[in-house]
Amino acid sequence: MENKINLLSLNQKSLDEFFAKLGAKSYCTKQLMKWIYKDHVFDFDQMLNLSKKLREKLKEVACIEFPKIVTKNHALDGVIKWVIETGSENHVEMVYIPEKDRGTLCISSQVGCALACTFCSTGYQGFNRNLSTAEIIAQVLIANLHLNPAGKRISNVVFMGMGEPLLNEEAVYSACDLLLDDLSFGLSRRRVTISSSGVVPALERMSERVPVSLAISLHAANDTLRDELVPINKKYPIETLMKACDVYLNAGTQERHILFEYVMLKGVNDSSEHAKQLSKLLKGVSAKVNLIPFNPFPQSDYETSSVRTIESFQNILFSNGIRTMTRRTRGEDVDAACGQLAGKVKDKTKRADARRN
């Protein structure tokens, strides 16, 4: 589709501008969005309430293009993982997690990840490129096309797949616009979550740009340990990160909260002292902590904290007034659990090669 614009990359404002340049009426935006996002019609010839002249023009200058599905795997617990091709032998992964009262889709924002968090399989694959808005939104549409016939729905979308969303700001923000737009997916702001390792300048911009939920991959409450686990901490240490979190919490007029994610690594960050440090750090912050049992992958030497250790850690947080939950591991048998997404990445950073050596 060389030189054609993929309409999945355009939010409502951009579509208005696109149709204006074509000399089409403004209502064409609503008509097109209904065909794509409500009716799942992707052939311009079938969009019969658009004029024939406009349909012919759209075929010349635009397309609605999806990445190819490489594999689709069903876990025993109902989790579904798709691997999709993004060109040049690169693949990314997305995961659907069904629960009694919700269906969460975990999507990717980059091919690989450049942040190299030591407990994450994606980080070990290196980094190739950012995904476009179209490639991000296509993940949600692909999942809907597979899930809807089975009577399943997507109630929540989380940017917790491959990549650091806030290193791909514009594409992610535009995708969020579409996820929130009633003309497309119509999700509430509380049901769309961006997870970040702490790209502070982008966090501050996000606070004003998109009113979605925020999750912070924290994993340690002191800089020495976080420098090791989450290397971006060397650039944006915890004190700086927490100031950016305060900016987010106080932006806008609606009440906001932050989910702090904390992977439980045996003998590394799971002691009672670590729990006390975390309690002190989050005292008075409008936040919840999500304790995540580490999910092993071949390149890692970390081990998962014991159930008793996680419970003890959680109890210390509870006793200090910190709202806390422990994430149940899902999709582990198809490598779809948190931290296990790897895809297939032609690493441009050479970081993966350096690690192997």
Side-chain angles (χ1 to χ4, degrees):
M1 299 294 179
E2 190 175 353
N3 299 324
K4 291 186 178 183
I5 186 167
N6 191 342
L7 297 184
L8 299 183
S9 67
L10 303 182
N11 59 21
Q12 185 178 165
K13 180 182 177 182
S14 298
L15 273 173
D16 283 340
E17 294 169 353
F18 170 77
F19 278 119
K21 289 178 181 178
L22 294 184
K25 301 293 185 182
S26 59
Y27 58 73
C28 291
T29 292
K30 292 184 179 180
Q31 291 174 326
L32 183 85
M33 291 182 74
K34 182 177 185 298
W35 283 117
I36 294 174
Y37 299 108
K38 305 299 184 184
D39 301 328
H40 295 157
V41 171
F42 311 114
D43 181 351
F44 296 129
D45 284 330
Q46 295 183 36
M47 300 179 182
L48 298 179
N49 59 351
L50 299 179
S51 71
K52 184 175 181 181
K53 181 180 178 181
L54 179 56
R55 281 180 273 149
E56 292 301 320
K57 186 62 177 177
L58 286 173
K59 287 190 286 186
E60 291 177 14
V61 301
C63 63
I64 300 170
E65 187 178 59
F66 291 80
K68 177 185 175 183
I69 299 171
V70 179
T71 61
K72 177 186 177 186
N73 295 313
H74 293 258
L76 295 174
D77 60 7
V79 166
I80 304 172
K81 182 177 82 169
W82 291 266
V83 177
I84 60 175
E85 189 176 286
T86 57
S88 303
E89 299 179 30
N90 286 302
H91 301 156
V92 298
E93 301 180 354
M94 60 183 191
V95 175
Y96 175 72
I97 307 164
E99 297 177 72
K100 185 177 181 180
D101 58 346
R102 68 172 63 185
T104 300
L105 185 69
C106 177
I107 60 176
S108 296
S109 56
Q110 295 181 309
V111 182
C113 185
L115 295 190
C117 296
T118 57
F119 53 84
C120 179
S121 180
T122 304
Y124 270 82
Q125 305 305 308
F127 172 79
N128 185 270
R129 66 173 177 86
N130 288 329
L131 294 180
S132 67
T133 298
E135 290 170 321
I136 295 171
I137 285 299
Q139 294 174 63
V140 187
L141 279 170
I142 287 170
N144 268 333
L145 289 169
H146 284 76
L147 296 169
N148 288 358
K152 298 177 181 178
R153 68 186 184 97
I154 296 170
S155 63
N156 297 65
V157 174
V158 296
F159 287 83
M160 295 182 183
M162 296 173 64
E164 164 56 59
L166 293 188
L167 289 180
N168 186 16
E169 284 184 81
E170 288 311 311
V172 167
Y173 296 160
S174 186
C176 285
D177 290 339
L178 285 164
L179 292 171
L180 300 178
D181 196 325
D182 287 340
L183 294 177
S184 44
F185 298 99
L187 297 176
S188 77
R189 65 183 187 87
R190 291 183 179 276
R191 293 185 178 273
V192 178
T193 301
I194 291 176
S195 176
S196 174
S197 295
V199 185
V200 166
L203 272 175
E204 294 170 346
R205 289 188 290 269
M206 173 197 158
S207 299
E208 297 296 337
R209 174 63 176 80
V210 285
V212 297
S213 297
L214 174 65
I216 294 293
S217 292
L218 190 62
H219 313 302
N222 69 77
D223 284 322
T224 301
L225 180 54
R226 195 166 192 266
D227 284 351
E228 175 188 337
L229 299 178
V230 188
I232 197 174
N233 193 72
K234 297 173 186 176
K235 188 171 184 178
Y236 304 115
I238 291 173
E239 183 179 357
T240 304
L241 172 60
M242 295 306 295
K243 288 179 180 178
C245 289
D246 188 61
V247 170
Y248 168 83
L249 288 170
N250 289 287
T253 58
Q254 295 175 304
E255 186 180 12
R256 296 185 176 193
H257 310 277
I258 297 176
L259 177 67
F260 286 91
E261 299 167 305
Y262 196 101
V263 65
M264 299 296 293
L265 304 168
K266 182 179 180 181
V268 176
N269 67 347
D270 62 351
S271 71
S272 59
E273 182 57 33
H274 290 127
K276 292 172 185 175
Q277 289 176 5
L278 183 58
S279 299
K280 183 178 179 180
L281 178 68
L282 299 183
K283 185 177 180 180
V285 178
S286 181
K288 179 187 289 187
V289 174
N290 189 7
L291 301 179
I292 307 170
F294 172 67
N295 296 300
F297 56 95
Q299 302 93 332
S300 175
D301 295 326
Y302 291 122
E303 296 179 43
T304 309
S305 302
S306 69
V307 173
R308 179 174 292 181
T309 297
I310 294 174
E311 288 178 349
S312 176
F313 195 99
Q314 186 175 39
N315 287 336
I316 292 172
L317 295 178
F318 276 143
S319 67
N320 283 278
I322 308 296
R323 293 183 300 156
T324 310
M325 61 183 177
T326 299
R327 181 181 296 176
R328 183 162 63 96
T329 298
R330 302 286 302 276
E332 191 174 17
D333 55 314
V334 293
D335 292 334
C338 182
Q340 290 186 320
L341 301 190
K344 182 181 179 183
V345 179
K346 294 185 73 173
D347 178 30
K348 288 186 176 180
T349 67
K350 306 302 180 186
R351 183 173 285 141
D353 290 339
R355 271 181 157 160
R356 283 191 283 268
N357 293 331

